[in-house]
Structure formats: structure tokens, C-alpha cells
Amino acid sequence: MAKEIPDLVAEERVGTGKGAARAARRAGMVPGVVYGGDTDPLSIQIPFNVLLKKLKAGKFKSTLWNLKVEGQEDVRVICRDVQRDVVKDLPTHLDLMRLRRNSEINLFIPVEFINEDTCPGIKKGGMLAVVRPEVELVVIAGEIPEKLTVDLANSAIGDVITISSIELPSGARPTIDRDFVVANIAAPGGISAADEDEEEAAGEEAAAEE
């Protein structure tokens, strides 16, 4: 099932340049530009309070949005940049990029675990230790999955669920090359070796990004 794409409602902005952008901000709007695709760039503005609420909710830049502008056809976009005031850290401008249905994008997809109540390992006292409640995937814009599903019906204490054991949607692939841990059934009162290995690997990833 494809993930429902949330709407991002904006207005077309009259004029370009710093003067028009300042006028938008004085009116309580955040100016922005929509670019990409086979169409000319479109100047837009979004109510400040609306944008701020969406930014505080998190994952604004990793969410695929259905941009709605009166007088324009709806288009799928992803945010490429949000400029902020250096002192107040509040949004002052945003850049949105149009996407075709066959475009590839990176998105975090939530992981759902089913059949915990019948899981043999949990029934024997084990605990579901979720290492990654969501996984970053490269997905096709027109085929975004709502979630990844892990069936625990046959999982025992000590079992490790890696990304390779999860069926991914057609065209989707992890952004991390190695076979990383998503969850495991840990023994009561202890941290599994899989947890330790994953924490060590995550530390190595963070060090590599610095």
C-alpha cells in the first residue's frame, strides 16, 4: 500500500528578488521557490505559522509533499533547503524541488512489528529490542511504501532481524550497503550481542560522517 502523501498548501508569490521576499515576510509569510522538472521556477509563499508547525513536527526535508497552489496543477515536491535566521533560527526561505513519479528519493519508512502476542521468544520471557524503528530507503516517488512489516510469529529468543530478512517494496533499497540490524528478540534482563554490534557500527558510521 502506497503511503498517503500529505498536502503542502502554498500561494503563488508576486514578484521576485529581495524586495518581494521581504514583503512576504512582513505579511507573515515565508517565501520560497519551486524548481525542477520541465517547468519554469515558481515563486511561492507559505504562512509562517503553518511552516513552523510542520518543521517542528520533524522530517520536513525527508517527506514527499503534494504541493497545492491555486491556479497550478498539484505537484509532488521534496524540500531541498530551509534557510533560517542566524539569530532566531526561524525559517526565512525554502527551496522545493519537483519530482516525477519515477524519480528516486531517500525517505525514512517506519517499521511495523506484527504477531508480538504469538511470538515464541516473547512468550518465553524475551523482549523485542527495536534498534531501528524506521529505515532510510531509496524509493520511487510514485511507489512510496506506507511501512515495512516484520512478522514475529516464528521468532525465538536470540533471533536477529536484519534488513535483508525484510521484504522491501519493488524498486526500494536501503541507503546503507551493509546488512544492518533492525531488531532482535533479546533475552530477559540482558543486551544482546546484536545490539552491541549495531551500536558499534552506528558509532563507526557517525565517525565517518564527521
Side-chain angles (χ1 to χ4, degrees):
M1 179 180 177
K3 183 179 181 180
E4 184 177 352
I5 301 173
D7 288 338
L8 182 63
V9 181
E11 302 173 8
E12 187 169 0
R13 179 163 49 94
V14 178
T16 58
K18 294 183 178 179
R22 283 195 294 267
R25 295 186 191 103
R26 286 196 297 269
M29 310 293 282
V30 178
V33 175
V34 186
Y35 64 93
D38 301 320
T39 309
D40 293 336
L42 175 67
S43 296
I44 62 167
Q45 57 188 19
I46 297 175
F48 174 85
N49 290 336
V50 172
L51 179 60
L52 186 62
K53 182 178 180 180
K54 292 184 182 298
L55 290 171
K56 286 184 175 180
K59 301 179 185 175
F60 184 83
K61 294 179 70 174
S62 62
T63 298
L64 181 67
W65 299 96
N66 178 48
L67 181 66
K68 302 178 75 70
V69 179
E70 186 175 354
Q72 304 282 337
E73 290 187 2
D74 290 5
V75 62
R76 294 182 178 190
V77 299
I78 193 166
C79 180
R80 282 309 185 201
D81 187 42
V82 177
Q83 298 173 25
R84 296 175 179 267
D85 182 277
V86 294
V87 177
K88 300 179 180 179
D89 195 34
L90 296 175
T92 58
H93 189 277
L94 75 160
D95 295 325
L96 303 175
M97 186 176 73
R98 300 182 186 97
L99 293 172
R100 298 185 180 90
R101 288 187 62 84
N102 60 352
S103 299
E104 287 190 338
I105 53 174
N106 293 12
L107 290 179
F108 284 92
I109 306 299
V111 181
E112 179 186 58
F113 299 88
I114 62 173
N115 292 323
E116 287 188 56
D117 55 338
T118 59
C119 173
I122 294 177
K123 291 176 73 173
K124 291 181 178 180
M127 295 182 61
L128 173 63
V130 179
V131 178
R132 294 178 187 260
E134 56 186 14
V135 174
E136 187 177 21
L137 300 178
V138 179
V139 297
I140 305 299
E143 299 293 337
I144 298 175
E146 181 180 2
K147 59 192 174 185
L148 301 180
T149 301
V150 176
D151 190 348
L152 301 174
N154 298 310
S155 297
I157 291 177
D159 281 359
V160 177
I161 299 143
T162 62
I163 188 62
S164 65
S165 64
I166 301 176
E167 184 177 355
L168 300 181
S170 176
R173 64 182 186 277
T175 58
I176 300 174
D177 290 335
R178 64 184 178 82
D179 189 18
F180 55 86
V181 175
V182 175
N184 61 74
I185 307 299
I191 298 177
S192 72
D195 283 327
E196 296 174 348
D197 291 344
E198 184 65 17
E199 289 176 3
E200 182 179 347
E204 292 174 355
E205 288 175 14
E209 292 173 357
E210 293 178 352

